[in-house]
Amino acid sequence: MLAAALWLGAPASAEPVARLVSFEPGAGLALADAQGIARVVTAPGDHEVVRIAAADLTSDIRRVTGATTANGTQIWLGTLGRNPAIDRLVRRGILDVSKLRDAWESFLIATVANPAPGIPAALVIVGSDRRGTAFGAYELSRAIGVSPWHWWADVTPEHHAAIYAATGLHRFGPPSVRYRGVFLNDEDWGLQPWAAGTFEPEAGTIGPKTYAKLFELMLRLKANMVWPAMHKVTAPFNANPANARLADRYAIVMGSSHAEPMLRNNVGEWTAPATEFNYVTNPAGVADYWRARVRANGQYESVWTLGMRGIHDSGIVGPATDDARRSLLERIFTDQRAMLARGVNRDLTRVPQVFTPYKEVLDVYRGGLKVPDDVTLMWPDDNFGYIRHVPDAAERARSGGSGIYYHLSYLGAPLSYLWLSTTPPALIREELGRAWDAGARRMCVANVGDLKPAELATDYFLQLAWDVPGTRGKPIDTVVTDWAARTVGADVAPEIAAIMAEHHRLNFQRRPEHLQWWLPGELSKPSPLAPAEIATRLAAFDTLRARVRSIAPRIAPNRRDAFFELVDYPVTAAALANTRVFDAEAHDRLRDTDPVGAAVAGERSRAADAEIAALTRRYNTEIAGGKWRGMMAVEPADGQWRRYRLSVPILPAPTAPPRRRPGPSWKVPGEIAPPSVTSVVPTGPRPSPGNREVLPTATIVIEAEEAEGPRTGWRVVDGLGRNGAAVATSVPATLSYTVTLPPGRWQLSAETLPTYPTIEGADLAVSVAIDGGPPVHVGAPRKTGDKAWALAVLDNRLDLTLPTPLGAGRHSVTIGIDDPAIVFDALRFDPLPASTPAASSSAAPSSANAGTQGLSHGH
């Protein structure tokens, strides 16, 4: 069993975990058998994180096998240059590490015959650096069936009495993105009360015990960075020096958000009046505040956030114009870097630094702000998953590179989403992939809120960051099936993947936290959906709930907690949230004309609300023996931050029981049942062509992927769009369609996702040619914070509308796309009354108007 001399697999991709081990007797080196389990051996001079990973690997093998005695096999775990036994194998030519030297966070796993006298064989895991070694240990844990989410989602591994390491050598890394991690944020309603009241009440906050579990999860997911929780309810991370020491033991790189320059939590650590956090009037006081953190944390591995904003994510205090802000920020950069040169390393190119042009700071940057070349530029999304800017040629040439700050959870305008994680993995793939193609490869950080229930989205985000080419090439159904097999069970994984696909599709049309069509401070109004559209939507949710219920009895007893946390609660709660809102609307709509039907709808609304409460109580008090007490809060959880959050639903008052029994939730007495093929939202996750072509309002829709002819220059984006698929391009492409319109006048719109154009300041646009005529440019501006943006992100749709109406008859339509930022979802033909002029090109989806008040807040 000599180590192979050749490297298996591409440098940036991991070998499939199934190839590392087998559970069949005699299939390789026995890591566990009837005699016992392998002993994990480390060197005294290696890094602390290596010893942590070794202890976890030993526990994981015991957890899988149930055995504790040693069988004589050894697993050598060590860092290149830090483990004398492994280094001797290298010098003797037994282990080829030529491609491991100087690599970032890379590792290899190899079987070696006769590695030392008296040892016939060993499994050697060697890392290029301390995190690479730890990643190698946890990769083996994953291969034997221990999920990275074993603690955070109660994923109990399957039992195996025997484990055999496959012979040969397997190489992993380096990662696609250098720094990869998460930001704990808006933790007021979940993570903080759970940590303070349940998990570590002795700390009374998110403290070392919680961070140790988070750091372990990061290593198991091959991530390396954390931005700590920073709201006022949470004690600042660095207020307890044990936290920073713990991060160093786990080899986790600590950073901070754009609002926390120089690793300073301003809402908890700046004790002077907020007006004095002003570098114009109080530069000495602010500089001393920053300098103290450099002295305390300069010896740890960190990424230092440069720049300045106000307390708690408000605008910078002092300068009144963008020119003044630009001048002040350049002065601040100089002073902050001087602190780092004195307190961390005189060679600033060896001190990781980042600047995030977020919110109004992006306008300052666009106005000519000079950022030092070795500083990473961190590009944010618009808080709803759409990246606002990707690096241009000049930015790609900078030595500091670029990164992406991405939201999977958000507190801010126009409406927050803090409860259920419904961002489709396909959107994460498209946006991160586009940014990576443009050169954003230095850093990727996801705002994960309370972390739960964002397990799937977090897992996928970090998979992508580790291996962009390998991960983005997998269909989303395959990704989710694999994830479900590892966390819930292989026998139900395909069904779970189908459920999650439909869950993401329905909630992409409107998130559970966005089920109101007015903004805080405005008068309430009903949704713009027709009764038949609502009926179809609720029927689809009812079907989802039934599918979840049908799977539940088949889940292995030791995986039922995981199933509830990862699938049952988020899917069922989202479905119930829709029932609660839409049946309340039906009650109000019917109470004057159909009192019995109104009573039925009102009862369903109240029952859904009660079931959400009961489901949440179960999460908090019963699952995993009460382990997650305080973690889950239904949105809206309370009256805090009302300016940015869903209003508390006003449920219909109870009435006398109706004379007839309630039917299925889609059937409202006195209203239209969903047609068999005419629907806004078909119930199938991947509808066949034509399923959405005729809507109840007589609107005609053709899905983008139904283009005629060969797929030249364009591809179908699986798992994205309002109907489960969309179209994107990497080169200029045209798509052709044929439609026969009934008598009347018709307005044509191209439905796209509300992405941002590649060219700064340009419209998001396509060209439209009708019946072979000249193409017409149809576009809409993209300005974060205006009314069109608010409408678009709540609907996840931007309409690019042809100004000239079409008449009846057969028409050919050709759509031209020349911007890779475009994700084209569908063609829509809306009937126009004879007296109605055609709309001009606009970005106005069908939702009611959204105001612009307070559109600048949030993380």
Side-chain angles (χ1 to χ4, degrees):
M1 294 185 290
L2 293 176
L6 298 176
W7 297 98
L8 305 181
S13 62
E15 294 287 328
V17 294
R19 294 179 58 183
L20 291 179
V21 303
S22 172
F23 304 113
E24 298 299 323
L29 182 62
L31 303 183
D33 56 18
Q35 282 68 49
I37 59 175
R39 184 165 67 94
V40 182
V41 181
T42 62
D46 216 329
H47 300 280
E48 179 66 18
V49 70
V50 176
R51 287 187 283 277
I52 293 172
D56 285 345
L57 178 56
T58 299
S59 297
D60 291 344
I61 296 173
R62 290 174 176 174
R63 187 178 293 116
V64 169
T65 63
T68 57
T69 58
N71 67 355
T73 302
Q74 292 189 3
I75 299 173
W76 291 10
L77 179 66
T79 308
L80 199 61
R82 287 277 193 145
N83 187 301
I86 293 176
D87 293 341
R88 280 194 293 271
L89 296 178
V90 175
R91 289 195 300 271
R92 290 164 55 193
I94 294 176
L95 197 61
D96 180 1
V97 297
S98 57
K99 294 186 179 180
L100 204 61
R101 295 189 187 278
D102 300 320
W104 178 261
E105 296 181 348
S106 301
F107 60 95
L108 62 86
I109 301 176
T111 52
V112 177
N114 303 310
I119 302 176
L123 183 67
V124 178
I125 304 174
V126 56
S128 62
D129 51 31
R130 60 178 182 159
R131 279 188 296 274
T133 306
F135 292 163
Y138 292 118
E139 190 69 24
L140 182 59
S141 288
R142 186 191 294 237
I144 68 174
V146 178
S147 167
W149 299 95
H150 76 98
W151 191 87
W152 280 98
D154 302 298
V155 181
T156 305
E158 294 181 2
H159 173 79
H160 295 284
I163 304 171
Y164 296 89
T167 58
L169 182 149
H170 306 263
R171 182 192 174 206
F172 300 74
S176 296
V177 178
R178 189 174 184 87
Y179 294 105
R180 313 162 306 282
V182 301
F183 177 24
L184 301 179
N185 193 220
D186 307 321
E187 67 278 8
D188 308 44
W189 303 277
L191 197 64
Q192 162 63 21
W194 166 79
T198 301
F199 188 58
E200 52 179 327
E202 67 278 8
T205 189
I206 301 171
K209 190 176 175 183
T210 301
Y211 279 114
K213 292 297 185 183
L214 177 68
F215 295 159
E216 178 196 326
L217 174 67
M218 292 297 98
L219 295 177
R220 288 182 182 270
L221 293 171
K222 292 195 284 290
N224 61 10
M225 171 175 270
V226 167
W227 293 357
M230 48 73 70
H231 269 219
K232 194 170 185 178
V233 298
T234 306
F237 179 83
N238 287 295
N240 183 351
N243 286 330
R245 292 195 297 269
L246 183 74
D248 186 58
R249 290 182 60 228
Y250 275 85
I252 295 296
V253 182
M254 294 306 298
S256 58
S257 72
H258 63 280
E260 303 171 273
M262 303 299 281
L263 302 183
R264 272 297 198 176
N265 178 326
N266 298 321
V267 296
E269 294 184 321
W270 180 260
T271 57
T275 54
E276 294 183 20
F277 195 61
N278 185 327
Y279 213 72
V280 174
T281 61
N282 186 27
V286 175
D288 285 345
Y289 171 70
W290 289 336
R291 200 173 291 114
R293 181 52 35 79
V294 176
R295 286 194 299 268
N297 290 56
Q299 75 271 32
Y300 300 131
E301 193 175 2
S302 307
V303 173
W304 297 85
T305 296
L306 302 187
M308 187 176 188
R309 296 191 81 229
I311 302 296
H312 207 299
D313 201 20
S314 57
I316 189 171
V317 177
T321 67
D322 277 354
D323 284 343
R325 295 184 187 98
R326 182 166 58 252
S327 177
L328 181 62
L329 280 172
E330 290 174 0
R331 173 186 165 196
I332 288 171
F333 291 157
T334 299
D335 293 351
Q336 289 172 334
R337 283 163 63 82
M339 298 173 198
L340 295 174
R342 287 191 298 268
V344 181
N345 194 313
R346 291 187 180 277
D347 181 0
L348 285 174
T349 63
R350 300 178 66 84
V351 181
Q353 303 153 70
V354 64
F355 172 69
T356 304
Y358 187 52
K359 297 186 177 175
E360 79 285 347
V361 182
L362 181 59
D363 293 331
V364 178
Y365 172 82
R366 290 169 174 167
L369 179 69
K370 294 180 175 62
V371 182
D373 192 70
D374 59 289
V375 175
T376 300
L377 294 174
M378 191 76 157
W379 301 111
D381 67 350
D382 67 343
N383 308 315
F384 290 82
Y386 301 102
I387 295 172
R388 297 177 62 183
H389 175 92
V390 296
D392 58 25
E395 289 155 351
R396 284 193 291 273
R398 300 176 71 260
S399 62
S402 290
I404 295 296
Y405 170 44
Y406 196 82
H407 285 78
L408 301 175
S409 174
Y410 175 62
L411 172 63
L415 284 171
S416 307
Y417 53 103
L418 300 169
W419 176 27
L420 302 175
S421 179
T422 54
T423 300
L427 180 61
I428 303 171
R429 176 189 62 194
E430 291 303 305
E431 289 295 277
L432 261 63
R434 183 168 66 93
W436 192 81
D437 289 342
R441 304 183 177 188
R442 184 59 60 93
M443 190 181 304
C444 280
V445 175
N447 184 325
V448 298
D450 293 317
L451 187 61
K452 297 177 72 65
E455 295 96 339
L456 172 56
T458 302
D459 193 299
Y460 186 64
F461 180 92
L462 294 174
Q463 281 186 54
L464 270 170
W466 171 260
D467 178 14
V468 172
T471 303
R472 75 195 296 196
K474 297 178 183 177
I476 295 298
D477 281 349
T478 300
V479 170
V480 179
T481 299
D482 291 346
W483 171 82
R486 295 192 304 267
T487 55
V488 180
D491 56 332
V492 295
E495 294 168 85
I496 289 176
I499 287 170
M500 297 309 291
E502 181 74 342
H503 170 71
H504 286 122
R505 184 184 73 83
L506 289 169
N507 291 297
F508 189 68
Q509 296 170 359
R510 199 78 178 188
R511 293 181 189 265
E513 301 92 340
H514 297 164
L515 292 174
Q516 68 178 45
W517 278 260
W518 70 93
L519 294 184
E522 296 181 342
L523 294 177
S524 64
K525 64 189 73 171
S527 72
L529 278 65
E533 299 177 63
I534 295 171
T536 302
R537 180 173 177 84
L538 293 183
F541 274 117
D542 282 350
T543 299
L544 263 189
R545 291 186 62 196
R547 292 165 76 179
V548 170
R549 288 194 300 269
S550 72
I551 289 176
R554 296 157 50 200
I555 305 300
N558 65 350
R559 291 285 181 89
R560 287 176 183 167
D561 287 344
F563 174 73
F564 180 83
E565 296 169 43
L566 299 174
V567 179
D568 192 349
Y569 182 84
V571 171
T572 303
L576 290 167
N578 278 263
T579 298
R580 177 175 66 182
V581 168
F582 286 115
D583 274 321
E585 278 193 6
H587 169 274
D588 294 346
R589 187 170 57 247
L590 296 172
R591 61 186 170 191
D592 293 334
T593 59
D594 183 359
V596 173
V600 170
E603 178 58 30
R604 279 197 299 264
S605 177
R606 290 190 299 275
D609 185 66
E611 192 171 349
I612 290 172
L615 202 70
T616 305
R617 280 195 302 272
R618 181 183 171 197
Y619 199 122
N620 285 328
T621 62
E622 298 177 21
I623 292 300
K627 174 180 176 181
W628 301 113
R629 185 180 302 274
M631 176 61 81
M632 191 55 60
V634 176
E635 179 68 8
D638 52 32
Q640 298 184 61
W641 302 93
R642 291 181 182 176
R643 191 177 183 184
Y644 311 112
R645 297 176 68 194
L646 187 75
S647 299
V648 176
I650 300 176
L651 303 179
T655 59
R659 293 181 180 179
R660 55 179 177 259
R661 294 174 58 193
S665 67
W666 53 262
K667 187 67 172 71
V668 178
E671 296 191 348
I672 304 171
S676 58
V677 294
T678 58
S679 63
V680 172
V681 188
T683 58
R686 292 299 300 271
S688 59
N691 237 19
R692 212 180 82 165
E693 284 188 11
V694 182
L695 282 74
T697 59
T699 291
I700 297 173
V701 174
I702 303 175
E703 298 300 330
E705 66 273 17
E706 295 172 15
E708 301 162 359
R711 295 184 185 177
T712 303
W714 59 274
R715 60 187 171 85
V716 175
V717 181
D718 61 305
L720 194 55
R722 300 176 68 80
N723 216 39
V727 163
T729 72
S730 55
V731 296
T734 58
L735 297 94
S736 299
Y737 306 86
T738 302
V739 63
T740 299
L741 298 177
R745 299 166 68 247
W746 297 83
Q747 180 174 283
L748 167 62
S749 297
E751 293 183 2
T752 69
L753 270 61
T755 55
Y756 286 76
T758 301
I759 298 175
E760 202 75 56
D763 285 355
L764 192 72
V766 298
S767 67
V768 181
I770 304 297
D771 298 330
V776 176
H777 176 90
V778 179
R782 298 292 290 125
K783 183 173 176 58
T784 305
D786 67 8
K787 184 170 69 175
W789 167 82
L791 292 167
V793 295
L794 293 176
D795 272 348
N796 282 308
R797 189 178 84 212
L798 189 69
D799 287 353
L800 307 179
T801 302
L802 189 70
T804 304
L806 301 180
R810 184 178 176 86
H811 296 282
S812 65
V813 180
T814 301
I815 301 295
I817 301 174
D818 61 6
D819 186 345
I822 292 281
V823 181
F824 173 38
D825 198 6
L827 282 179
R828 194 177 76 245
F829 301 84
D830 291 307
L832 290 172
S835 60
T836 302
S840 61
S841 177
S842 69
S846 61
S847 298
N849 289 341
T852 58
Q853 181 182 19
L855 292 180
S856 64
H857 181 79
H859 294 304

